[in-house]
Amino acid sequence: MKKLLALISAILLVGGSIGPITAEGTKSPEEAKSTEAKQEIKRDEIDVMAKDAVNRVIAESEGAKNLQKKAVGYAVFDNMKSTLLLGSAGGGVGVAVDKATGKKTYMKMATGGPALGLGGQKYQIVFFFETPEVLGRDRSLARLNDAQASLRA
């Protein structure tokens, strides 16, 4: 049991490691421009993913098509989740779009928790917002709670 806990701790320690964190003010103008360019490319990729996901869901579901027509906005997340022994972790990126103004809010998502198994999954989530209040509230929170149960052979 001690070996298993040591292995899990080592995996979490290595998996949770991040690179050095630097203050924004320490970037040179070239680095700042490079970062902005990379962010713009990433946003373009997220926009394409979101458009494809919305088009796919409304093509496959008449109910989703009706919701999309009535919605004041929508959000789409592209996620990946991995389960390793006793825990799961994952994350993704997404965008919320206000249909009236075209304003986009780009977000990151993270998930984790206890799980039993070994594997992974990649999935997309599409939300349609019925009122401006819900769209604004969910955008400002930029938080998504995730709970799942699955069984695979």
Side-chain angles (χ1 to χ4, degrees):
M1 184 67 171
K2 286 185 179 181
K3 287 183 181 182
L4 178 62
L5 290 175
L7 175 64
I8 292 170
S9 297
I11 291 169
L12 291 175
L13 186 62
V14 171
S17 298
I18 58 172
I21 299 173
T22 59
E24 281 295 315
T26 62
K27 289 184 180 180
S28 70
E30 294 81 22
E31 288 175 320
K33 286 180 185 176
S34 174
T35 300
E36 288 174 21
K38 288 177 185 176
Q39 288 176 341
E40 190 62 35
I41 291 169
K42 186 67 176 170
R43 288 181 181 136
D44 289 344
E45 291 170 354
I46 293 169
D47 289 342
V48 169
M49 174 278 301
K51 184 177 180 181
D52 291 347
V54 168
N55 288 340
R56 191 170 58 250
V57 77
I58 63 174
E60 294 175 7
S61 168
E62 191 64 34
K65 186 183 286 188
N66 292 333
L67 283 173
Q68 192 267 346
K69 286 179 185 175
K70 291 187 256 181
V72 298
Y74 62 91
V76 182
F77 288 90
D78 191 32
N79 304 297
M80 185 167 191
K81 185 186 258 185
S82 298
T83 302
L84 183 60
L85 301 177
L86 301 174
S88 69
V93 294
V95 61
V97 180
D98 184 324
K99 286 172 50 176
T101 65
K103 180 181 178 188
K104 297 177 182 178
T105 304
Y106 295 91
M107 297 178 266
K108 292 183 179 180
M109 180 188 142
T111 183
L116 182 61
L118 179 65
Q121 56 182 303
K122 184 167 174 47
Y123 56 98
Q124 293 176 328
I125 303 170
V126 177
F127 297 95
F128 294 111
F129 298 103
E130 295 179 328
T131 66
E133 295 79 22
V134 174
L135 174 63
R137 182 187 71 216
D138 288 348
R139 245 193 345 225
S140 66
L141 289 176
R143 178 179 165 175
L144 175 66
N145 294 315
D146 177 22
Q148 290 185 1
S150 59
L151 178 64
R152 293 183 185 84

